[in-house]
Amino acid sequence: MTTYAHRTLLLALAVATVATTVTAAAPVARADAPRTNGPALTWRPCAEPGGLRGQECARLPVPLDYRDPGGPRIGLAVTRVRSERPAARRGTLLVIPGGPGGSGVQRLATKGPALRKAMAGAYDLVSFDPRGVGGSTRAGCGLDPADRHLVTLRSWPGPDGEIDANAARSRRIADACRRHGGAVLRSFTTLNEARDIDRLRRALGEEKLSAWAYSYGTYVGAVYAQKFPRHTDRWVLDSSGDPDPSRVGRGWLANTAAGTDDRFPDFAAWAADPARESEGLRLARRPADVRPLFLALAAKLDREPKESSTPGVPLTGNRLRQALQSALQSDALFAETARLIQQAQDPAAEPVLPDVVAGPLPDQDAAVTTATVCNDVRWPASVPAHRRAVAADRARHPLTAGLPANITPCGFWQAPAEPPTRITADGPSNILMVQNRRDPYTPYFGALKMRRSLGERARLLTLEHGGHGAYLANGPVCGDRTVTAFLTTGRRPQTDTRCTG
């Protein structure tokens, strides 16, 4: 759940629909009248070359403020792929994206072929861009490009753990978002996303939805199941975080310290494997040597940044740490990070920075990524308390260098408009959680808290695997089979269970 981390892996993807930008000074369309059954959707073909055959797109109007349902409206980009076997169709499967800031339109485009094959016509596949994302109504903060680099937006501490620059930048970002984001930016909340999903359900003419929710989307899915339990059918939560309502995004960020520690041995084993020799990517003779090598290199780059192939963007210790944290999402990203480490060690090499750390985020992406977690719950703002917390976290978890405990723009944000949702066991028992054991972003111990909160509503499928995102991604085949069977037949493990391959 990146709060910020894996969100940025999506930034290079194009969006299939045209974005509508709304800032504080821009007008918002008025609703003609409140609707009781949801607005009709006007679908148009939007399949891209090499993409999903038959993909359609539409725009869903939703209230800017659900306390004023007949007032201003904004628009969401939605997409669907109809079942190719109408006789086998049992309903609609909603794909809930991660983030905050992930595009559901793009997630359906990329995961759709595998999902369509797995579902074998059981569902129309539907997804959407949440408020602030992609083709939906957006808002910006007017941030300086220097404040939109991932290693500055994310409050990586300075060398030796100083956080004064982080505190000043966090206050500057919060002030800019308050000035420029307006009511649209303030509406970016998890609870509003859940309400928007119910508007989409009504517009689709469905009494119930099934869902596959991923990463931060699992929290959205859990909130929807809490608020609209009778409209949930078969509900899959893939890679869940701790739903503690007093912390939410702050807790997710804090948990990445231990999550990175849990996942790093997979990278170390890969990087020390003799098979890497022929690829020119072996970093050490033993897995135990990879961690001290990495820590020493990051500390050296803190002191002596190295010019990279991106003009004006040197490879610093924090850019190296961020590149590693982003790569821990999937084994497929290990080679890129090993190559960066080798280039950083070579005095004659000019490191090629991964896209995730090479440049600033677009202003509107930075805005939605920041605003959603800040709008959900109040964060503490004491700089001295954060300084102490960063020092302790750096000592316990040097791979993340104090980032998970550091101050963020949320500490200087406006008070949340509504309290966060408490996830409970109230509702039908129709939820399947699927979770990798070594997940760097939504660690297993946090997922266990979601499991306890849901009680008898859920069953947990634990995968003895590493990486973020399990179904049709980084998990073993046995996990894919179990999730597919649940969605297509309703068969769910009778008790919490695990699989290894």
Side-chain angles (χ1 to χ4, degrees):
M1 178 166 328
T2 61
T3 49
Y4 302 98
H6 80 273
R7 155 73 190 101
T8 56
L9 300 177
L10 304 171
L11 294 178
L13 296 173
V15 179
T17 50
V18 178
T20 298
T21 302
V22 180
T23 63
V28 181
R30 300 280 312 177
D32 294 331
R35 297 176 184 266
T36 56
N37 297 316
L41 293 170
T42 301
W43 296 100
R44 59 175 179 79
C46 62
E48 297 183 354
L52 273 170
R53 183 176 63 257
Q55 187 167 3
E56 299 175 294
C57 294
R59 196 163 189 81
L60 175 72
V62 296
L64 172 63
D65 185 343
Y66 277 92
R67 293 169 298 185
D68 181 18
R73 287 191 181 183
I74 57 176
L76 304 184
V78 299
T79 188
R80 76 174 175 188
V81 181
R82 294 185 187 227
S83 167
E84 294 187 302
R85 299 174 59 215
R89 180 189 181 278
R90 65 171 308 274
T92 292
L93 177 65
L94 179 69
V95 177
I96 305 178
S103 165
V105 171
Q106 274 297 216
R107 185 159 179 81
L108 185 58
T110 55
K111 290 293 186 182
L115 187 60
R116 171 187 261 174
K117 181 178 179 181
M119 295 300 100
Y123 296 97
D124 292 344
L125 308 179
V126 172
S127 195
F128 65 104
D129 285 349
R131 298 171 183 232
V133 177
S136 296
T137 298
R138 310 194 74 183
C141 292
L143 301 181
D144 186 88
D147 289 342
R148 290 188 268 113
H149 280 264
L150 193 58
V151 293
T152 51
L153 188 67
R154 293 200 70 213
S155 288
W156 283 95
D160 302 320
E162 67 87 13
I163 71 166
D164 289 343
N166 299 133
R169 184 179 296 111
S170 293
R171 186 183 295 276
R172 184 164 65 243
I173 290 172
D175 288 345
C177 290
R178 187 178 298 114
R179 289 195 310 272
H180 300 295
V184 174
L185 191 76
R186 290 284 290 158
S187 80
F188 298 165
T189 68
T190 300
L191 190 51
N192 276 341
E193 187 169 337
R195 292 165 174 147
D196 291 345
I197 288 173
D198 204 56
R199 283 283 171 135
L200 176 56
R201 175 193 64 78
R202 291 161 54 189
L204 293 168
E206 298 283 9
E207 180 62 27
K208 293 185 176 184
L209 292 172
S210 292
W212 170 30
Y214 160 72
S215 190
Y216 161 71
T218 62
Y219 180 60
V220 178
V223 169
Y224 184 88
Q226 186 71 37
K227 295 295 186 180
F228 305 97
R230 67 185 184 89
H231 296 303
T232 61
D233 189 6
R234 298 170 185 172
W235 219 244
V236 174
L237 304 184
D238 179 349
S239 305
S240 300
D242 180 357
D244 180 351
S246 68
R247 290 166 58 84
V248 199
R250 181 164 61 97
W252 304 333
L253 180 60
N255 288 349
T256 60
T260 299
D261 289 344
D262 290 345
R263 173 66 166 151
F264 186 83
D266 292 340
F267 173 73
W270 181 94
D273 190 327
R276 304 285 86 77
E277 205 79 66
S278 61
E279 303 166 1
L281 295 175
R282 194 176 187 191
L283 299 180
R285 312 306 293 181
R286 303 180 306 152
D289 295 331
V290 177
R291 180 183 169 102
L293 180 156
F294 178 86
L295 292 174
L297 178 60
K300 179 181 179 182
L301 290 169
D302 282 339
R303 300 186 301 270
E304 304 169 15
K306 185 177 174 68
E307 291 302 315
S308 76
S309 60
T310 304
V313 185
L315 177 59
T316 62
N318 282 339
R319 282 197 170 88
L320 183 68
R321 294 180 185 102
Q322 181 58 61
L324 170 71
Q325 195 179 51
S326 297
L328 294 179
Q329 174 178 246
S330 170
D331 292 10
L333 299 173
F334 286 177
E336 180 181 63
T337 300
R339 191 171 295 111
L340 181 65
I341 291 171
Q342 288 186 328
Q343 293 168 348
Q345 293 175 300
D346 182 353
E350 188 176 65
V352 178
L353 299 180
D355 290 344
V356 73
V357 295
L361 283 69
D363 183 61
Q364 294 170 333
D365 290 322
V368 67
T369 301
T370 303
T372 305
V373 292
C374 296
N375 287 334
D376 270 359
V377 67
R378 185 182 289 278
W379 293 46
S382 167
V383 175
H386 278 93
R387 188 176 289 115
R388 292 189 295 272
V390 165
D393 210 57
R394 284 169 64 86
R396 286 194 299 266
H397 308 287
L399 287 171
T400 46
L403 163 73
N406 204 1
I407 198 163
T408 76
C410 298
F412 305 101
W413 211 257
Q414 292 174 265
E418 301 177 275
T421 303
R422 180 175 294 279
I423 305 303
T424 73
D426 298 332
S429 182
N430 59 357
I431 298 171
L432 176 63
M433 295 177 59
V434 56
Q435 189 80 22
N436 284 330
R437 177 78 71 175
R438 299 180 306 282
D439 186 323
Y441 303 154
T442 53
Y444 189 71
F445 60 85
L448 291 179
K449 293 182 179 180
M450 176 72 85
R451 174 67 186 88
R452 288 194 289 272
S453 294
L454 290 169
E456 284 304 306
R457 297 196 67 183
R459 300 291 181 269
L460 172 62
L461 173 63
T462 299
L463 309 181
E464 300 297 337
H465 206 267
H468 182 61
Y471 184 53
L472 304 179
N474 298 304
V477 173
C478 59
D480 288 353
R481 285 198 301 261
T482 302
V483 174
T484 297
F486 172 60
L487 288 173
T488 56
T489 71
R491 291 196 309 271
R492 189 183 66 166
Q494 293 185 350
T495 60
D496 291 354
T497 187
R498 58 187 285 273
C499 71
T500 57

